[in-house]
Amino acid sequence: MELGEEIAQRTAFGQALVELGAEKPNMLVLDADVGPSTQTHLFGRAYPDRFIEVGIAEQNMVGIAAGLSTLGFVPWISTFAVFMTKRAGDQIRNSIAHPKANVKINGAYGGLPTGRAGATHSAIEDLAVMRAMPNMIIMDPADPREAAVCARLAMEIEGPVYLRTVRCPVPVIFPEHHKVEIGKAVKLHEGKDVAIISSGMMTPRALKAAEILEGQGVSARLLHMPTIKPIDIEAICDAAESIGAIVTVENHSIIGGLGGAVCEVVAEYAPCRVKRLGFPDVFLESGDDEVLFSRYSLDIAGIVSVAKALAEGGKKNK
Amino acid sequence: MAHEHDVGFLESVAHQIRTLIIDTAHTAGAGHTGGSLSEVEILTALYFSFLNVDPECPDWNERDRFILSKGHASLGYYVTLALKGYFPTDNLKTFDREDSTLQAHPDMHKCKGVDYSTGSLGQGLSIGVGIALGGLKKNQQFKTVVLLGDGECQEGQVWEAAMFAGSKHIPKLIAIVDYNKVQLSNKVDENLSLEPFAIKWEAFGWNVLSADGHNIADLLSVLSRASALSARGPVVIIANTIKGKGVSFMEGKYEWHGKAPNDQEYTAAKKELGSK
Ligand SMILES: Cc1ncc(C[n+]2csc(CCOP(=O)(O)OP(=O)(O)O)c2C)c(N)n1
Ligand SMILES: [Mg+2]
């Protein structure tokens, strides 16, 4: 994994499971007929005895994992985030989250990139659904490296973890010994005119945007949130108080995900202007990932122009 | 309309559908080729003979209803609807592109002729039960047909719907299972066997028929029996099919579940189809 190299995050995740499998003999992986898509088939090939194919039956998969966890196994359950968090949402809530089952959940195909599968397959609200569940830790890694780091971290936590992965290639931005701390933002760029808070695959493009803004005389602080829950309240409040203008950027609906979480913190502890970039309460559609992302200003140019407008508006207000 | 029950004519329609599936998938660089090729004769028999529908009036209140519960196989569905006259075949070139009426999964608000939006497996039969129940309550005479995948029948909701329809003897409801024995990641038997399949449906209160899902004459006669039987309660047709039917290197292969042919594969596929 070289810095700047574009690697599908799902593949990095699948390979991380194989590595972890070698170290943790009690780890199991369950999938619901989408192993070649989520890349858990890599684990299935490496450890056929520890891979359980449940068929197209997401609700049953969750229950089986809950049962296995009572015997000391640590099951990963894996399918598309859209079906995982809604079809099996009640099972996750009542068989995993409430009993604090030690089950790790891979929400694959997070957000828009689904290989053009469109509205029915794009998980635009998985973070919102999972965030409202007590006991749930939520990770939204930025790059292939961090996806692997998060998978490892999930195994160190006792209890439910939701790890979101995306289908498409994402550039590696983190160096080899990158560490993630639960509930701690990663500051990737320092600035004073505007704060950009991003998560998941939006972080590499937000980083590019911050560098471009620098060249245009706008200094942006970029905070990456590897965990959406718990969220780094301190870092958000500091940005709100010392900068006073925040743009959130996520591959998710503007309702209930990263933007929602930041707004909750800001409204309660440190009121300031927040602009949420994400899907504006719409279902997505089929088409090229980048063409569709650009419609919601979720490309580098879009982030630059939204952040710039907010920074300039902020200056005028002062 | 004199042609409608002419098996030879229907076979030529099926061949046209199969060819257009390959063309459309190749142009789009996307599509669920395997499950679209397995449903060709079923859709031909339905749309060009069995279903009482009118492409000029897609929302006609008395029309028979059809739900593609295996919504990922939209490719075969769209080609069939186009040839039936719901929209120009030229639209197929926009399949799976931005702003297209032909989304990867059928959208009832975008595509003419689509009775219900699908894409998340396991949900279509319940919707069909609701439509059939609604028709019954309103004293309407239309039939409701739902096409399911075999892998899809691993979803619990399919059996919740089956239990309801069987126990309530819902009439004019026909489910067809495209029993191609392959799902996304493997053969159905190797992932999670459905067998004994017919006995399961029977136990849930359904009349069970089976058909050769690539034989138009057989499909027509089984559909007509199903129609008669469905006056008293729900009927399921287990249609034995081959995933990827018609293109030798796609047949029976899960690798062709969600893949479109590249240029080389396209040429080879067209050559095979052309020589028929
Ligand atoms: C609820 C749900 N889970 C998973 C998927 C992903 N998926 C799409 S097609 C498919 C396999 C379907 O197999 P089958 O029903 O046998 O269809 P066919 O062979 O006719 O293509 C899967 C798992 C989905 N669309 N919906
Ligand atoms: Mg099948």
Side-chain angles (χ1 to χ4, degrees), chain B residues 157-224:
Chain B
Q157 189 184 348
V158 171
W159 300 98
E160 295 177 22
M163 194 184 301
F164 183 92
S167 142
K168 310 282 180 195
H169 310 287
I170 305 294
K172 299 194 174 63
L173 175 65
I174 300 173
I176 306 176
V177 179
D178 183 349
Y179 204 0
N180 61 26
K181 286 113 197 145
V182 177
Q183 51 192 109
L184 182 150
S185 67
N186 207 343
K187 296 196 163 87
V188 174
D189 266 358
E190 284 173 32
N191 267 1
L192 182 65
S193 172
L194 301 170
E195 294 297 342
F197 197 42
I199 290 173
K200 287 194 175 80
W201 286 99
E202 258 163 37
F204 278 77
W206 289 58
N207 261 305
V208 185
L209 302 175
S210 75
D212 174 344
H214 296 303
N215 182 320
I216 299 265
D218 193 42
L219 281 167
L220 291 181
S221 92
V222 173
L223 279 167
S224 119

Side-chain angles (χ1 to χ4, degrees), chain B residues 52-217:
Chain B
N52 187 18
V53 293
D54 179 3
E56 300 294 320
C57 298
D59 298 328
W60 173 43
N61 199 26
E62 295 299 326
R63 74 185 183 284
D64 286 341
R65 303 320 200 254
F66 173 76
I67 296 160
L68 183 71
S69 191
K70 41 169 274 183
H72 59 279
S74 59
L75 185 55
Y77 188 28
Y78 293 148
V79 170
T80 307
L81 291 176
L83 288 179
K84 180 71 180 172
Y86 283 93
F87 48 84
T89 48
D90 223 36
N91 290 10
L92 295 170
K93 293 187 184 125
T94 71
F95 169 65
D96 206 24
R97 294 270 169 219
E98 301 84 36
D99 307 317
S100 175
T101 54
L102 309 181
Q103 293 287 299
H105 296 84
D107 185 326
M108 65 198 285
H109 297 300
K110 293 191 170 158
C111 180
K112 269 198 195 146
V114 171
D115 286 323
Y116 218 92
S117 303
T118 50
S120 177
L121 293 168
Q123 306 195 10
L125 190 56
S126 300
I127 296 163
V129 170
I131 292 173
L133 191 59
L136 188 66
K137 285 188 185 297
K138 296 182 82 175
N139 214 4
Q140 287 185 248
Q141 295 308 309
F142 63 79
K143 305 182 281 293
T144 304
V145 178
V146 181
L147 180 59
L148 299 134
D150 47 4
E152 181 181 11
C153 292
Q154 293 161 342
E155 282 286 0
Q157 189 184 348
V158 171
W159 300 98
E160 295 177 22
M163 194 184 301
F164 183 92
S167 142
K168 310 282 180 195
H169 310 287
I170 305 294
K172 299 194 174 63
L173 175 65
I174 300 173
I176 306 176
V177 179
D178 183 349
Y179 204 0
N180 61 26
K181 286 113 197 145
V182 177
Q183 51 192 109
L184 182 150
S185 67
N186 207 343
K187 296 196 163 87
V188 174
D189 266 358
E190 284 173 32
N191 267 1
L192 182 65
S193 172
L194 301 170
E195 294 297 342
F197 197 42
I199 290 173
K200 287 194 175 80
W201 286 99
E202 258 163 37
F204 278 77
W206 289 58
N207 261 305
V208 185
L209 302 175
S210 75
D212 174 344
H214 296 303
N215 182 320
I216 299 265

Side-chain angles (χ1 to χ4, degrees), chain A residues 21-36:
Chain A
E23 300 164 28
K24 321 233 179 237
N26 58 343
M27 180 176 138
L28 305 174
V29 176
L30 290 75
D31 206 304
D33 193 31
V34 290

